[in-house]
Amino acid sequence: MTVFDSVTHPRTNVRLRNRYTIALSALLCYYSITVFRKPNPSSGIPIYVQLKEQIRHVIETGALSPGDQLPGIRSLAEALVINPNTVIKVYRELENEGVLDIRHGLGAFVTTRPRSLSGAEGMRDAQQLVRDFIDTLKKQGLNEGEIRRLFEAEFAEELQGR
């Protein structure tokens, strides 16, 4: 018997999982919830947009792989202290965009449709460029707040220029 085996109770015929499997399930559930940060209601960006971008980021960076299950609606809403309807809205929009598969009664899963490999690699390359750039700015004596304001100002200017 391995740590992942389940056992059938002899009298009730109910399937029981051993304590290691239960502990592993609880740990995975906790990890998937802690991947997401609480949205900032005073940022001026709608909460559902913040959550949607977080989920996209987690998928694009590989923290969640195709086929992985996202946290349940209630558990995620409670962990982030947001309305469950907000989570439902985000999950539905991401399903419409082809990012998630919602299986009623089972939950939301990252789509198993293969994303273009160049897109995932491009995201990782861009992430490394940003890390390198932040390290360069820190070496020049800028603190985190100054770096964040610079990025936000440049990004806002770029969006207005379109």
Side-chain angles (χ1 to χ4, degrees):
M1 180 192 238
T2 68
V3 295
F4 298 106
D5 289 340
S6 61
V7 181
T8 303
H9 191 277
R11 279 180 276 160
T12 61
N13 282 335
V14 174
R15 240 184 158 157
L16 303 173
R17 292 194 266 175
N18 65 30
R19 67 176 186 250
Y20 300 112
T21 305
I22 294 168
L24 182 62
S25 297
L27 180 65
L28 289 173
C29 182
Y30 173 77
Y31 173 73
S32 66
I33 290 173
T34 57
V35 168
F36 303 107
R37 293 172 301 165
K38 286 184 181 178
N40 181 0
S42 62
S43 72
I45 300 171
I47 291 174
Y48 86 94
V49 173
Q50 293 178 49
L51 179 59
K52 189 174 172 181
E53 291 304 314
Q54 281 188 50
I55 292 172
R56 281 180 187 276
H57 180 73
V58 167
I59 293 168
E60 288 174 348
T61 57
L64 284 176
S65 304
D68 285 351
Q69 184 174 9
L70 274 75
I73 293 167
R74 278 195 193 133
S75 60
L76 185 59
E78 287 173 3
L80 300 179
V81 192
I82 59 175
N83 191 315
N85 291 328
T86 303
V87 179
I88 292 169
K89 179 178 182 176
V90 169
Y91 281 10
R92 281 190 184 143
E93 285 188 10
L94 289 171
E95 180 186 34
N96 291 338
E97 294 171 13
V99 176
L100 298 180
D101 284 329
I102 296 177
R103 301 178 198 151
H104 296 284
L106 296 175
F109 296 83
V110 179
T111 55
T112 54
R113 290 180 219 125
R115 182 174 179 197
S116 68
L117 198 54
S118 62
E121 289 174 358
M123 184 63 160
R124 285 190 203 101
D125 291 345
Q127 210 172 12
Q128 188 58 48
L129 285 171
V130 170
R131 281 190 199 119
D132 294 343
F133 186 63
I134 289 172
D135 288 341
T136 302
L137 292 174
K138 283 182 178 178
K139 287 176 185 172
Q140 291 182 359
L142 295 173
N143 65 33
E144 290 178 16
E146 293 169 329
I147 294 170
R148 182 177 294 116
R149 285 191 299 275
L150 279 172
F151 270 101
E152 288 173 356
E154 286 300 316
F155 188 65
E157 192 173 306
E158 180 69 25
L159 288 177
Q160 289 175 351
R162 286 185 177 176

